[in-house]
Amino acid sequence: DTEVTQTPKHLVMGMTNKKSLKCEQHMGHRAMYWYKQKAKKPPELMFVYSYEKLSINESVPSRFSPECPNSSLLNLHLHALQPEDSALYLCASSLQRDKPREQYFGPGTRLTVT
Amino acid sequence: AQTVTQSQPEMSVQEAETVTLSCTYDTSESNYYLFWYKQPPSRQMILVIRQEAYKQQNATENRFSVNFQKAAKSFSLKISDSQLGDTAMYFCAFTNAGGTSYGKLTFGQGTILTVHP
């Protein structure tokens, strides 16, 4: 089963709201990723978790806060976002960070900040 | 730093015909992986094909095949017998095989492929 699930599919939030995105995989992968994707552009890496520890933060603003409660679950907590943060947020996983093979992507959460 | 270049922003093909998407990359590493990902409109990004740099044989997956030219740093995707469901944005991507790879995927800018009936 090569499935990564993400909830919710769509999210509309105001600039003062706090919300969270959720990502889950049950493939035994030990590396998980958050990407941001604007329309007709490639995904931009935000965070990498390896064995539940944050290993890469691509200078992402602190209004985005990742969390990895266990090896199957990855959250992205959102607070005080700006309209320019509206995008498709993709989660991905791979077997291990330092033995890179393909990454498997979830369907994404389409976020609109009003 | 690695870079990936897709020089064709958009392409179109008739159903049942063959189309080739281009990708070039730049790296000083000797061992790495290359991928083609497909992202249909408003749908999930899925892996189409993978190539390991130390393997000289070109990867194939059903109607999809690659032409991997390591010396030229070229990695093109050929789609045979194109189908309407192949309409999507295609991304070429690169990652190092070890060392300081950090699991990062470097993507090209993408090629929008439209298959016409």
Side-chain angles (χ1 to χ4, degrees):
Chain A
D1 182 13
T2 56
E3 186 173 339
V4 177
T5 60
Q6 290 187 245
T7 54
K9 290 185 179 179
H10 301 274
L11 178 63
V12 179
M13 61 184 290
M15 290 189 285
T16 58
N17 292 158
K18 288 185 179 181
K19 297 285 185 183
S20 296
L21 309 185
K22 178 180 172 181
C23 172
E24 203 160 4
Q25 58 87 14
H26 296 285
M27 296 178 279
H29 288 176
R30 303 312 300 269
M32 297 184 76
Y33 312 79
W34 279 116
Y35 290 88
K36 173 183 177 180
Q37 186 181 27
K38 292 282 198 178
K40 297 187 178 180
K41 295 292 186 181
E44 300 171 25
L45 183 65
M46 299 175 71
F47 302 104
V48 180
Y49 272 84
S50 178
Y51 292 87
E52 296 110 74
K53 294 190 187 307
L54 182 65
S55 59
I56 296 176
N57 177 341
E58 292 285 276
S59 302
V60 178
S62 59
R63 57 185 184 269
F64 295 91
S65 175
E67 178 196 20
C68 190
N70 59 59
S71 61
S72 300
L73 188 57
L74 186 66
N75 297 320
L76 186 63
H77 303 297
L78 314 172
H79 173 56
L81 295 192
Q82 304 297 309
E84 59 265 29
D85 297 322
S86 298
L88 181 68
Y89 286 84
L90 296 171
C91 174
S93 70
S94 66
L95 190 61
Q96 288 177 267
R97 188 204 79 175
D98 56 353
K99 292 182 180 180
R101 299 281 178 155
E102 54 269 27
Q103 293 183 19
Y104 294 92
F105 286 83
T109 293
R110 190 161 298 281
L111 174 68
T112 302
V113 181
T114 60
Chain B
Q2 289 80 24
T3 59
V4 177
T5 302
Q6 293 179 247
S7 59
Q8 305 150 316
E10 295 189 37
M11 293 192 72
S12 63
V13 64
Q14 293 297 124
E15 198 173 8
E17 293 187 346
T18 296
V19 64
T20 298
L21 308 184
S22 301
C23 173
T24 57
Y25 59 94
D26 189 23
T27 183
S28 58
E29 302 290 334
S30 59
N31 198 13
Y32 47 86
Y33 294 92
L34 294 160
F35 308 95
W36 279 98
Y37 282 91
K38 165 187 176 181
Q39 189 174 34
S42 301
R43 291 184 62 187
Q44 193 162 346
M45 186 174 299
I46 59 173
L47 178 70
V48 174
I49 202 164
R50 178 187 80 184
Q51 176 77 42
E52 298 172 46
Y54 64 88
K55 290 187 176 180
Q56 293 187 350
Q57 186 174 5
N58 289 326
T60 63
E61 286 288 342
N62 301 313
R63 298 183 295 107
F64 299 88
S65 61
V66 298
N67 183 4
F68 173 49
Q69 301 289 328
K70 190 172 183 178
K73 296 181 181 174
S74 170
F75 182 61
S76 60
L77 175 70
K78 185 172 83 171
I79 306 174
S80 304
D81 185 26
S82 297
Q83 300 176 0
L84 296 178
D86 295 333
T87 292
M89 189 153 196
Y90 287 79
F91 291 102
C92 178
F94 169 102
T95 189
N96 282 329
T100 58
S101 65
Y102 300 116
K104 287 187 177 184
L105 270 180
T106 301
F107 288 92
Q109 289 301 303
T111 297
I112 298 173
L113 175 68
T114 304
V115 181
H116 297 286

